[in-house]
Amino acid sequence: MISGAGKKRTRRVRKPRKKGAKGVWSIGDRIGLGIAWITGIFLCVVAFSVTIYLAVKGISYINLDVLTSRPEAGVEQSETGGFLDPMIGTVLLTVLGTAIAAPIGVGIAIWLTEYGRPASLARFVEAGVEMLVGAPSIALAIFGLLIFQTSFMAPFSFTAEGGAVFGRSFFAAGAIMSLIALPFVVGGTREALNSIPKHVREASFALGKDQASTIRRVLLPASRAGIATGTTLGMAQIIGETAVVVVLLGASLQLAPEGAIPVLDIFKGTGSTLTSYVYINSPAGEGKAPEKAYAAAFVLLLIVIALNVMVNQITKRGQHKWG
Amino acid sequence: MGIETTDDERGLSEAGVPPVRRIVVDGETPPVRVAHRIGNGASPGLDEPFAVEQDFEAVWVEERMRIESLGVRFGQKEAVKDVSLQVNSGEVLALIGPSGCGKTTLLRSLNKLVDLTPTAIRSGRILLDDEDTAYMDDTLLRKKVGMLFQQPNPFPMTIFDNVAYGLRERGSKRPGKKALEPIVVDALERAGLWDEVSDNLNHPALSLSGGQQQRLCIARSLAVRPEVLLLDEPCSALDPISTAIIEDTIVNLKDEIAIVIVTHNLQQAERIADKVAFMYLGDLVEYGPATQVFNAPMAERTKDYVRGDFG
């Protein structure tokens, strides 16, 4: 209530000042405003040119054929097939990474905001999550390789005849991808939980509910939008990630299932995603099919934009106005 | 006179509802209304043994809670010092006093909500129906001692689910919507909200106005059939009309439930309170009938406060 009243007051004070703004502002303020405008417009220009460039290039090369055919080895661009497998790979890896990151991330966020004791452990966990945000993904990928190459992890990894563990599979890449998505899930969930006023929790306690049912029946449903936002942002991170794919998923463009158990064999095998497909086919990689790389990059961009629109919709609709 | 808990005959206890308390004098039920009115005659067959005695006039005042030399401290700060009070059903007890005098802490001690603050240390005893609350299960105590907060805080779910929230226990024997409906309807009626929401029980509770939300919170508390209802400045975020409606609701409820209200609004205390406790810097300065505290206060401080000299 107090903060609400304060907000209203500042708004009231601001309004009349805004009307006569031009006459009142000092030189320094006006220069600052100019710089803010220029940087803002510059950012818009860069963002739009990337999108438009990729759209123009991508649309001109995209067709039903590249979307529905598998990548093939070939010397000429016309022989290299499409990027059906990388699209499937992107979906599989995103689902796997999110499926691991979402429950763990929500759990961490709940523990941090609702329990958080001992405080030293909570700070340690917080620092760990922050470290994941800042860690270069290639470092995480190498770390993953280290773990999944051990013979202990053989059931989850692509293995060569004779028992050499490659440390590469959808499992390996998905596990490390979950670390990349994790901080976003934790962040989104924590933000939502923190926005719930203390007295709402107390109202539930005052009705004779314990902390567990309060979390399950009140706090989590109220945080749904925040959790969804965090998870979607995490998914966007996974979709856009390249280093982890190149290191941990293998460089085979086609899905290469491993083992005899259906479905599981795909996850144990190697493959590619749109990002690694773009990398490999662009002039930076082998460069055999640059036009298809553009088309794939365009598809990638569309997916990420769609996810961002989703995030906006979720946050817009899911906001509760607490008393 | 003995107090006996009789399981009510309608199987509501199976639905996770605490049993109805009846007051029994020497084995005979006195001509008083039952502590909890249910059914309002709308559900056939249910209300018969619980019919309300219409010709009952005098207010049945009975001790519900007794506070014995309660002290609460947060670290070094003493918030409540050696307070002894009595909370009776049939009465509204108002806690008044300047900000930071310990009213809210005292109130939150009654349902042990104050124990959620890690630094809080409590001394003294609080009895609910002669039972020491210190040894009672928190969740059980809080079902018997409901609370309403300063800010309306319905949960982000439907109106129905809000009221039914306290009734839904964990486990496999969760009562279904049908079993809960009469209780929900009754609680909404007693909170004076039924007429306004009867058509949209499935609407989100947060779409209601502030005053309606606060009455929904009252209904939510009433649904678990508390013996005592604690109100922490329930009208401070509301407009005068909503405040008047809530005050009416409170006065109507006091016959069945002991009510303790913390308020900064002395007019409000004068309007609805039967007993008033004036606190200052953690001390209970004066406790007595409202008319006495407001018109002929014994302590000098009380006189100054009710006259408006400080606050």
Side-chain angles (χ1 to χ4, degrees):
Chain A
M1 190 59 218
I2 292 164
S3 65
K7 247 184 228 162
K8 258 178 212 160
R9 208 175 301 135
T10 48
R11 231 178 263 153
R12 232 175 271 147
V13 173
R14 240 193 204 165
K15 250 188 184 169
R17 202 195 281 167
K18 229 181 182 178
K19 274 178 195 162
K22 271 174 197 161
V24 178
W25 283 28
S26 70
I27 286 285
D29 283 352
R30 270 187 258 177
I31 292 173
L33 183 70
I35 292 172
W37 267 98
I38 290 166
T39 46
I41 289 171
F42 176 72
L43 191 78
C44 289
V45 169
V46 171
F48 274 106
S49 30
V50 170
T51 317
I52 289 169
Y53 178 73
L54 271 177
V56 170
K57 282 270 192 180
I59 289 172
S60 63
Y61 297 130
I62 215 162
N63 55 51
L64 204 64
D65 207 39
V66 293
L67 289 173
T68 52
S69 58
R70 308 185 69 181
E72 302 291 348
V75 183
E76 292 295 313
Q77 181 154 235
S78 56
E79 296 166 359
T80 53
F83 45 85
L84 178 66
D85 283 25
M87 284 200 295
I88 296 170
T90 293
V91 171
L92 287 181
L93 201 57
T94 310
V95 168
L96 190 62
T98 314
I100 300 171
I104 296 177
V106 170
I108 291 175
I110 288 174
W111 183 77
L112 280 174
T113 41
E114 303 304 315
Y115 299 90
R117 239 168 278 148
S120 53
L121 183 62
R123 264 199 301 277
F124 190 71
V125 171
E126 257 177 346
V129 173
E130 269 161 36
M131 189 277 288
L132 283 180
V133 184
S137 56
I138 188 75
L140 292 175
I142 299 293
F143 170 72
L145 201 60
L146 213 68
I147 290 180
F148 280 93
Q149 270 182 342
T150 56
S151 53
F152 183 68
M153 285 294 181
F156 299 108
S157 164
F158 186 82
T159 43
E161 287 193 26
V165 185
F166 275 57
R168 293 179 162 186
S169 68
F170 273 98
F171 277 126
I176 298 302
M177 282 296 196
S178 73
L179 292 180
I180 285 164
L182 192 71
F184 293 89
V185 180
V186 174
T189 310
R190 278 189 83 182
E191 205 175 297
L193 286 172
N194 283 329
S195 74
I196 303 172
K198 198 172 149 224
H199 61 84
V200 172
R201 294 172 175 79
E202 288 179 345
S204 173
F205 296 147
L207 286 162
K209 295 288 177 174
D210 55 20
Q211 192 154 15
S213 23
T214 302
I215 289 169
R216 205 170 59 87
R217 304 262 334 272
V218 178
L219 302 184
L220 279 182
S223 314
R224 227 178 284 153
I227 295 170
T229 305
T231 309
T232 316
L233 285 174
M235 281 166 77
Q237 292 294 314
I238 295 180
I239 291 170
E241 176 55 44
T242 315
V244 172
V245 180
V246 171
V247 174
L248 286 173
L249 197 57
S252 63
L253 287 180
Q254 286 195 357
L255 296 177
E258 153 110 357
I261 312 157
V263 182
L264 212 66
D265 61 349
I266 297 173
F267 285 107
K268 205 186 160 186
T270 61
S272 64
T273 66
L274 284 171
T275 50
S276 69
Y277 182 84
V278 171
Y279 168 71
I280 289 166
N281 283 309
S282 76
E286 294 167 18
K288 278 182 188 153
E291 287 171 7
K292 285 168 188 166
Y294 275 121
F298 179 62
V299 172
L300 197 61
L301 194 73
L302 283 185
I303 295 174
V304 175
I305 289 174
L307 280 175
N308 277 318
V309 171
M310 248 171 78
V311 169
N312 282 339
Q313 287 301 314
I314 295 166
T315 25
K316 226 185 271 171
R317 254 192 264 156
Q319 253 158 9
H320 298 295
K321 281 191 191 111
W322 299 99
Chain B
M1 175 180 139
I3 293 173
E4 197 180 272
T5 303
T6 54
D7 216 0
D8 65 287
E9 296 89 326
R10 291 161 300 111
L12 279 173
S13 53
E14 276 170 32
V17 178
V20 169
R21 293 187 66 84
R22 312 179 84 166
I23 301 144
V24 180
V25 180
D26 299 329
E28 259 183 51
T29 310
V32 289
R33 70 270 173 276
V34 171
H36 299 289
R37 185 163 55 96
I38 292 175
N40 65 288
S43 24
L46 291 187
D47 50 336
E48 209 179 343
F50 290 82
V52 179
E53 299 274 338
Q54 292 301 328
D55 55 347
F56 187 81
E57 294 243 317
V59 182
W60 183 275
V61 174
E62 197 199 6
E63 180 187 288
R64 279 273 94 91
M65 295 190 95
R66 193 161 71 242
I67 304 159
E68 291 176 350
S69 54
L70 175 77
V72 184
R73 51 194 308 158
F74 299 103
Q76 290 300 307
K77 191 179 164 275
E78 266 192 292
V80 176
K81 302 171 202 162
D82 194 32
V83 170
S84 296
L85 269 178
Q86 208 178 315
V87 178
N88 300 326
S89 63
E91 282 183 351
V92 175
L93 167 65
L95 303 176
I96 59 168
S99 300
C101 70
K103 316 178 289 284
T104 299
T105 306
L106 172 63
L107 194 76
R108 290 162 63 94
S109 303
L110 296 179
N111 63 352
K112 294 211 271 186
L113 214 54
V114 78
D115 295 7
L116 295 176
T117 314
T119 52
I121 300 165
R122 252 180 336 119
S123 59
R125 292 207 305 169
I126 299 172
L127 306 173
L128 172 68
D129 296 320
D130 293 324
E131 199 183 332
D132 195 338
T133 56
Y135 303 110
M136 281 173 77
D137 185 45
D138 286 6
T139 56
L140 189 70
L141 171 71
R142 289 175 189 152
K143 281 196 193 304
K144 289 183 176 175
V145 183
M147 186 164 182
L148 197 67
F149 295 77
Q150 200 170 347
Q151 299 290 332
N153 50 12
F155 302 132
M157 41 179 98
T158 65
I159 293 169
F160 185 96
D161 286 341
N162 259 280
V163 182
Y165 178 75
L167 302 165
R168 287 180 167 147
E169 293 294 328
R170 268 186 301 171
S172 52
K173 277 179 82 181
R174 278 176 59 161
K177 204 163 179 168
K178 271 222 172 101
L180 293 172
E181 198 162 345
I183 307 168
V184 170
V185 172
D186 178 62
L188 284 168
E189 273 179 345
R190 289 161 75 201
L193 191 61
W194 173 247
D195 295 338
E196 290 156 64
V197 300
S198 56
D199 292 333
N200 36 25
L201 287 178
N202 288 322
H203 285 212
L206 289 164
S207 65
L208 296 172
S209 75
Q212 288 174 322
Q213 287 189 8
Q214 195 63 308
R215 276 180 284 149
L216 179 68
C217 293
I218 295 181
R220 187 173 67 184
S221 297
L222 293 178
V224 287
R225 296 202 238 155
E227 296 174 25
V228 181
L229 191 58
L230 312 173
L231 308 152
D232 188 2
E233 297 180 47
C235 302
S236 62
L238 303 181
D239 61 278
I241 294 168
S242 303
T243 302
I245 299 173
I246 302 247
E247 284 178 11
D248 276 352
T249 312
I250 294 170
V251 172
N252 287 335
L253 287 171
K254 75 173 180 185
D255 289 355
E256 322 168 34
I257 299 171
I259 289 171
V260 187
I261 179 169
V262 164
T263 178
H264 276 290
N265 184 339
L266 292 178
Q267 285 82 36
Q268 182 175 58
E270 234 175 326
R271 282 194 296 267
I272 62 173
D274 300 290
K275 292 263 176 66
V276 172
F278 171 63
M279 291 182 72
Y280 184 70
L281 296 177
D283 287 309
L284 178 63
V285 178
E286 190 154 351
Y287 169 57
T291 43
Q292 182 224 309
V293 174
F294 282 116
N295 300 322
M298 294 195 277
E300 203 59 36
R301 281 220 181 278
T302 320
K303 212 177 281 175
D304 292 345
Y305 185 72
V306 298
R307 259 207 331 247
D309 283 1
F310 75 100

